[in-house]
Amino acid sequence: MATELETTDRKILELLARDGRMSFTDLGKATGLSTSAVHQRVKRLEQRGLILGYGAMINHDEIGLPLTAFISIRPIDPSQPDDSPERLRDIPEIESCWSVAGEESYILKIRVPTPADLENLLARVRAAANVSTRTTIVLSTPYESRPITGE
């Protein structure tokens, strides 16, 4: 169920989506609230599950993971249990797993150092989850993880 948001709460979410390390003081200046009022609102947004966590934007090229790909998977045997996410949970190269509508059951976002590593990963995914795969390699990323914006 979608949660109705006050304008100020939405503004706080927008600001934190752009900079998760923004101080309560700076959030207060941007929203016209006191530091303590912002702190209470952020705490409430966290408790309501609207803020799930905070993270750093990583330069994957610089840490040796320049190859990003999307792997679409579907079960070889459609009557098998739908447990692919659990079967693949411990494969660290998988950054995200989305359940999707369409021919495939899930789309995985992965990051690896080289095409050979991608080939190895595909074999591991197929074996672990008993699935067929279709892979799309990312050539460039003009933007990613864009923050929400006001209406």
Side-chain angles (χ1 to χ4, degrees):
M1 179 172 135
T3 304
E4 193 65 34
L5 282 179
E6 294 179 29
T7 304
T8 303
D9 286 344
R10 181 172 292 281
K11 181 68 173 174
I12 290 169
L13 291 175
E14 290 174 19
L15 292 165
L16 287 173
R18 291 184 198 287
D19 179 3
R21 295 180 60 169
M22 189 175 231
S23 71
F24 293 131
T25 301
D26 290 340
L27 284 168
K29 288 176 185 172
T31 58
L33 297 173
S34 70
T35 301
S36 63
V38 167
H39 182 261
Q40 289 175 342
R41 282 182 180 252
V42 170
K43 190 177 211 177
R44 192 170 61 242
L45 291 168
E46 290 170 345
Q47 290 169 344
R48 290 173 57 196
L50 296 173
I51 297 175
L52 301 175
Y54 302 87
M57 298 293 288
I58 307 297
N59 183 336
H60 291 91
D61 291 347
E62 291 297 319
I63 64 167
L65 298 171
L67 196 157
T68 302
F70 293 95
I71 303 171
S72 300
I73 64 172
R74 69 176 177 207
I76 291 174
D77 177 2
S79 67
Q80 76 184 36
D82 184 12
D83 61 354
S84 294
E86 292 78 24
R87 290 175 174 232
L88 300 171
R89 185 173 311 281
D90 295 328
I91 298 177
E93 296 91 340
I94 300 173
E95 183 177 295
S96 302
C97 174
W98 296 286
S99 175
V100 296
E103 287 189 34
E104 285 84 12
S105 300
Y106 296 92
I107 296 177
L108 312 173
K109 180 181 179 184
I110 64 92
R111 296 188 192 268
V112 293
T114 68
D117 292 306
L118 175 58
E119 186 175 27
N120 175 276
L121 175 61
L122 288 169
R124 290 170 33 223
V125 165
R126 290 180 191 126
N130 193 31
V131 293
S132 63
T133 61
R134 185 172 55 86
T135 304
T136 302
I137 295 175
V138 174
L139 299 177
S140 69
T141 306
Y143 49 85
E144 179 178 31
S145 300
R146 292 170 55 165
I148 59 172
T149 57
E151 298 174 315

